[in-house]
Amino acid sequence: MSESKISRDEVAHLAHLSRLSVTESEIDTFAPQLERILEYVAKVGEVAADEIPPMSHNVPMTNVTRPDVITPSLDRDEVLRAAPAAQENRFRVPRILDEEA
Amino acid sequence: MAPSELIHLSAADLAARLAAGDVTSVEVTQAHLDQISAVDDTIGSFLHVDGAKALAQAATVDEDRAAGKALGPLAGVPIGLKDVFVTRGTPTTAGSKILEGWTPPYESTVSARALAAGLVVLGKTNMDEFAMGSTNENSAYKPVRNPWNHDRIPGGSSGGSASAVASFETPLSLGTDTGGSVRQPAAMCGLVGMKPTYGSNSRYGVIAFSSSLDTPGPFGRTVMDTALLHEAISGYDPCDSTSIDAPVPGVVAAARKGANGDLTGVRVGVVRELGGDGYETGVMSAFEAGVQTLRDLGATVTEVSCPHFSYSLPAYYLIAPSEASSNLARFDSVRYGLRVGDDGEASLEEVMSMTREAGFGAEVKRRIILGAYALSSGYYDAYYGQAQKVRTLLARDFTAAFEQVDVLVSPTTPTVAYPIGAKVNDPLAMYQGDLCTLPASLVGVPAMSLPVGLAEDPADSGGTPLPVGLQIMAPTMADDRCYRVGAALEGALDASRGAPFLAELAIR
């Protein structure tokens, strides 16, 4: 077996950073799959020489603004109806304090 | 006209009969709803059908027509929308449990244009979760089955939109193509599928997967049907910062021009790197026969080398998951969708993690983790940065090729549709199905797949042969070239078969 490029701990860490509470069996599945994929995609390094500029997009990007005119927005009640929890015309979120405790 | 005849007509034929008053949109819509009732338990094309809404919309078109109002060329013709298009008042899930039951408060630009054109929306079609996957087995709700052989994949991620058209549930549908998700299922289901120039179809209200690649695109049974839908939905949209502010090429006119069957003076390049080893014999035979037909129509065919095309697959599988890992951060259990574990004790972060764990399927999680890895400090330069450089090399390949030829052609997929479950545990093998479609995606140029024939199913020797697609690629904003060449090829192939391509499936 080739030397592991992505460990189980790394998969768990990346999942945590991505706010995904993955199970042990998912880590067992993902780690070898991701390792194979990463070995394969590393091929991009064969041709991507320093002098080649990266291309992020095929469309020349310009800042898009609209006229500074007040227009109707989404209906607040309609938006809040689609939320998992709402209270007093706002999105209700779970506890946010003491997260580091 | 009998409902069974109505569902087999092309969109253009239906539109002509509607305009002539031979049939009403209500009758046409009901015939397609009946076909959905008859076959969709087996095929699984739709996630949501709203018959009452569709019939009401059809009745409005009929009333407008009776009142003499000016109507668009496709007014009254039914359509299916991939469930990635946000539709106001109609559930939208992107094939994911994390959005189960969500009813959007706004409408995507593309679906709004379809409605404004008088197209009748039958419902939302099945898809791989968040458009990730090449098989349509990654829908959180149910797999889609290929109408040619129900044990085969339809291709992904717009497999529901493709199977709906191929099984005569609707004459037209819309999908999105990120790495080939319109062209690949079109090839596997025997349809015409088009990825327009990136930026020429608005992404506003299209649930984002990979923002620098996602492109809404039409499916039809013929090149002309696809052109009519393409023209109805395309064009500049100020709501999308990547929208191109330029006129859409006249694709309907180009399809008409192509239908005269003369390709004299058209230079066609066969991409050397997209073919040969790893491609099924039946796929290559049908492709080469298609190329010979192009020669017979007067086109000049030469071989063209695009040396960096073989790096498309690794570049894509770094770029798309990276953008996805960022885009999918919005599914955070706060503003819409699912919330799991909110018992008053768990913190926001814990609720978010539990919700995302419960709401996302395996392919989505795999890509989020891969994307987070590729973007992380220490690996960014080795992976994501290098992949963006490959994009530049691919763009240079295309530029050099289009100095020599007008269009490039290749098989659309290396294989015909394979058995459901065959590659579900081997993501790298599944990704190989996108080999031919990725270069056009990474550079943003337009590309079409159209059916060129049938090939033996390697997994069922002597069984039902399966469709093969030929891909036509053109320079940015030269989408019309795909339609001209495609229409000419389609006409010649239909003439040699004695019937339109899907007639064989309609009879079985």
Side-chain angles (χ1 to χ4, degrees), chain B residues 20-303:
Chain B
D22 297 343
V23 65
T24 66
S25 178
V26 168
E27 289 168 327
V28 169
T29 302
Q30 187 61 56
H32 287 91
L33 290 169
D34 290 347
Q35 174 71 352
I36 292 171
S37 298
V39 305
D40 211 56
D41 281 350
T42 305
I43 302 288
S45 302
F46 281 88
L47 289 176
H48 181 82
V49 176
D50 192 339
K53 198 170 178 179
L55 287 168
Q57 204 191 324
T60 303
V61 174
D62 288 336
E63 285 163 20
D64 288 348
R65 198 184 301 279
K69 286 191 186 170
L71 299 173
L74 288 172
V77 176
I79 187 171
L81 300 176
K82 186 178 183 179
D83 203 32
V84 76
F85 292 100
V86 163
T87 43
R88 183 170 190 171
T90 300
T92 300
T93 68
S96 180
K97 289 284 181 192
I98 210 162
L99 279 173
E100 189 166 18
W102 182 54
T103 303
Y106 71 111
E107 188 79 27
S108 80
T109 296
V110 162
S111 58
R113 285 183 180 167
L115 288 166
L119 283 150
V120 174
V121 177
L122 298 170
K124 306 297 287 293
T125 57
N126 203 350
M127 58 181 285
D128 281 314
E129 185 176 3
F130 289 109
M132 295 180 199
S134 307
T135 63
N136 227 298
E137 294 164 287
N138 296 310
S139 163
Y141 296 94
K142 56 188 176 184
V144 179
R145 294 176 182 278
N146 192 311
W148 291 82
N149 179 338
H150 296 166
D151 296 326
R152 298 290 173 273
I153 59 161
S157 67
S158 310
S161 292
S163 63
V165 176
S167 58
F168 304 97
E169 295 170 292
T170 177
L172 295 170
S173 67
L174 281 173
T176 52
D177 191 311
T178 302
S181 291
V182 167
R183 290 162 285 161
Q184 193 233 41
M188 289 184 168
C189 291
L191 301 174
V192 180
M194 179 75 187
K195 184 197 88 71
T197 295
Y198 175 88
S200 64
N201 277 11
S202 172
R203 290 184 301 106
Y204 178 75
V206 180
I207 296 173
F209 162 20
S210 183
S211 304
S212 72
L213 301 163
D214 296 344
T215 310
F219 286 102
R221 291 184 210 122
T222 68
V223 173
M224 178 53 80
D225 283 6
T226 311
L228 287 164
L229 181 55
H230 185 136
E231 223 160 82
I233 58 163
S234 297
Y236 177 62
D237 177 14
C239 294
D240 176 357
S241 61
T242 55
S243 185
I244 296 174
D245 191 0
V248 176
V251 295
V252 172
R256 282 208 186 94
K257 186 175 180 188
N260 73 20
D262 182 11
L263 292 180
T264 305
V266 176
R267 299 167 302 162
V268 174
V270 175
V271 183
R272 185 186 300 158
E273 287 76 10
L274 300 180
D277 289 347
Y279 289 69
E280 284 174 4
T281 313
V283 168
M284 288 312 294
S285 301
F287 169 69
E288 282 157 11
V291 172
Q292 183 54 46
T293 304
L294 292 171
R295 276 194 202 96
D296 297 343
L297 291 167
T300 310
V301 178
T302 51
E303 190 177 80

Side-chain angles (χ1 to χ4, degrees), chain A residues 1-68:
Chain A
M1 192 177 158
S2 64
E3 192 185 333
S4 179
K5 281 184 181 167
I6 184 160
S7 65
R8 291 181 84 265
D9 285 350
E10 245 176 322
V11 173
H13 179 60
L14 288 162
H16 173 70
L17 293 176
S18 308
R19 302 291 181 264
L20 283 170
S21 55
V22 288
T23 63
E24 289 295 313
S25 81
E26 281 177 322
I27 295 175
D28 288 339
T29 307
F30 290 153
Q33 286 179 343
L34 289 169
E35 188 181 326
R36 275 194 65 214
I37 294 169
L38 283 168
E39 274 174 11
Y40 178 71
V41 297
K43 210 179 149 192
V44 292
E46 292 173 10
V47 288
D50 288 347
E51 70 275 13
I52 299 162
M55 171 179 157
S56 61
H57 225 272
N58 74 317
V59 178
M61 297 286 284
T62 51
N63 201 8
V64 176
T65 57
R66 66 169 173 80
D68 187 15

Side-chain angles (χ1 to χ4, degrees), chain B residues 275-501:
Chain B
D277 289 347
Y279 289 69
E280 284 174 4
T281 313
V283 168
M284 288 312 294
S285 301
F287 169 69
E288 282 157 11
V291 172
Q292 183 54 46
T293 304
L294 292 171
R295 276 194 202 96
D296 297 343
L297 291 167
T300 310
V301 178
T302 51
E303 190 177 80
V304 173
S305 177
C306 296
H308 300 100
F309 274 24
S310 61
Y311 293 92
S312 301
L313 188 62
Y316 176 83
Y317 279 98
L318 287 166
I319 292 166
S322 298
E323 293 185 7
S325 72
S326 168
N327 274 324
L328 268 53
R330 75 191 59 183
F331 299 99
D332 58 4
S333 79
V334 173
R335 289 151 298 158
Y336 38 71
L338 193 67
R339 179 179 289 182
V340 171
D342 185 14
D343 58 3
E345 294 298 313
S347 70
L348 177 61
E349 185 181 315
E350 288 163 346
V351 170
M352 210 181 281
S353 295
M354 285 187 276
T355 300
R356 287 162 64 81
E357 163 65 9
F360 289 146
E363 183 61 31
V364 173
K365 288 176 195 165
R366 189 157 48 223
R367 294 200 196 187
I368 288 174
I369 294 170
L370 177 60
Y373 184 84
L375 290 177
S376 58
S377 72
Y379 296 110
Y380 181 93
D381 288 338
Y383 290 110
Y384 186 76
Q386 304 277 49
Q388 299 286 59
K389 290 181 177 183
V390 168
R391 241 172 152 167
T392 304
L393 294 169
L394 291 166
R396 289 177 183 173
D397 279 2
F398 271 113
T399 302
F402 288 131
E403 282 168 4
Q404 302 167 59
V405 296
D406 301 306
V407 294
L408 291 169
V409 296
S410 75
T412 309
T413 57
T415 72
V416 293
Y418 47 83
I420 290 172
K423 298 181 183 176
V424 77
N425 293 317
D426 187 354
L428 206 49
M430 180 183 77
Y431 299 166
Q432 303 280 337
D434 299 332
L435 270 179
C436 307
T437 52
L438 292 172
S441 296
L442 286 161
V443 176
V445 299
M448 169 187 282
S449 177
L450 83 160
V452 283
L454 295 168
E456 186 179 313
D457 179 355
D460 183 19
S461 183
T464 311
L466 295 168
V468 175
L470 179 143
Q471 179 177 228
I472 306 167
M473 296 169 272
T476 298
M477 292 305 272
D479 304 48
D480 48 340
R481 291 189 197 174
C482 297
Y483 283 93
R484 181 181 169 200
V485 174
L489 181 55
E490 175 188 68
L493 293 171
D494 285 356
S496 68
R497 274 190 291 266
F501 184 77

